[in-house]
Amino acid sequence: MSKILVTGGLGFIGSHTVVELQKEGFEVVIIDNLSNSSINVLDGITAITGKKPIFEKLDLREKSAVQEFFKTHNDVKGVIHFAASKAVGESVENPLLYYENNINTLVYVLQELNKLKEANFIFSSSCTVYGQADELPITENAPVKPAESPYGNTKQIGEEIIKDTCKVSAQLNAIALRYFNPVGSHESALIGELPIGVPQNLVPFITQTAIGLREQLSVFGDDYPTEDGTCIRDYIHVVDLAKAHVVALQRLLAHKNETNFEVFNLGTGTGSSVLEVIKSFERVSGETLNYKIAPRRAGDVIAAYAHTEKANKVLGWKSDLTLDDAMASAWKWEKHIREQ
Ligand code: WQD
């Protein structure tokens, strides 16, 4: 049973990916420093799969700790690297925190992988690298634009670091997965998105407003050049996204990759406006959402949704779950955590 390291494995996408890895029979080791996640997530994963992953509380910013880890776990066959800070606004306020936490950690992990006979690396990237793409849907060949935030810059730099390392490494094979907008939760409602403080992202703000934690949702602008005036995004169910990570890892383990650095967009291929997301939520929950139209948010792109052909035909993955599925699961999760 291949041992797979999942860094940031107690986070939103990481925890859902650990569940899918265990379902596929992988042995999973999670590294997480619990700075943006809770140890209770480990119980949620175990409750779903019946298998408790190995967990090591470790801060990847400590190079010696990373070296120690790989001395102990030198039988790791693959790494899925989620560990990073990911709040766009916070990255503008505190860029050095982002460059240290998102770049140094990546370098330390890659340095250890370079000592292994074979290393398979899946990198958590983001459609943020495209900025406002000139053409929609967005393909993997769309130009990477100057980042709108230090967070987005760390994803662009991260991909470059991996690409340059793969060029001179005989044993490193990597895939960068550029997520669109991950939403929803596992159907069991035992794991889900756990934003700390006021949610920056749309869907947790919707569910927290509906449950009464937030007074009202502000829709950031309805004067964009779109059908209903609100921004368009590609909302992909986190379980579909998690499954894509397993498919990408299996591609590398089976040496099916065409080059030793590949990039795939992960989205549904369908764009949904903010108002359409609100309507989807109201439809599946039966709730009437309290929202108002507010000024635009700086840094928002008008529209972004994925061209899915490469992921479908080359990676051999496509999304199955719908926006309604995502909203229903997000609502079920919100109600579950408020019952605690
Ligand atoms: C979606 C839409 C907002 C909140 C970000 C990161 C991206 C990835 C996903 C990490 C936009 C609108 C939002 C609110 C609103 N994160 N909105 N009211 O900005 O597309 O992507 O999160 O990898 O890298 O950039 O997601 O959910 O913040 O916003 O109207 O209270 O919802 O204006 O149009 P975004 P989001």
Side-chain angles (χ1 to χ4, degrees), residues 13 85-88 124-129 149 151-152 155 179-183 193 199-206 216-221 224 230-235 272-274 277-278 292 294-297 299-302 304:
I13 306 168
S85 301
K86 61 156 197 146
V88 173
S124 167
S125 190
S126 169
C127 65
T128 306
V129 303
S149 68
Y151 162 74
K155 290 302 178 184
Y179 314 152
F180 281 68
N181 288 54
V183 290
E193 191 166 8
Q200 299 303 305
N201 295 130
L202 176 64
V203 172
F205 207 108
I206 287 176
Q216 183 180 50
L217 169 77
S218 295
V219 172
F220 296 140
Y224 286 95
T230 63
C231 294
I232 292 170
R233 296 289 185 276
D234 185 333
Y235 296 95
S272 301
S273 73
V274 176
V277 173
I278 292 171
K292 69 176 179 187
R296 293 182 174 191
R297 178 174 70 174
D300 272 337
V301 297
I302 301 166

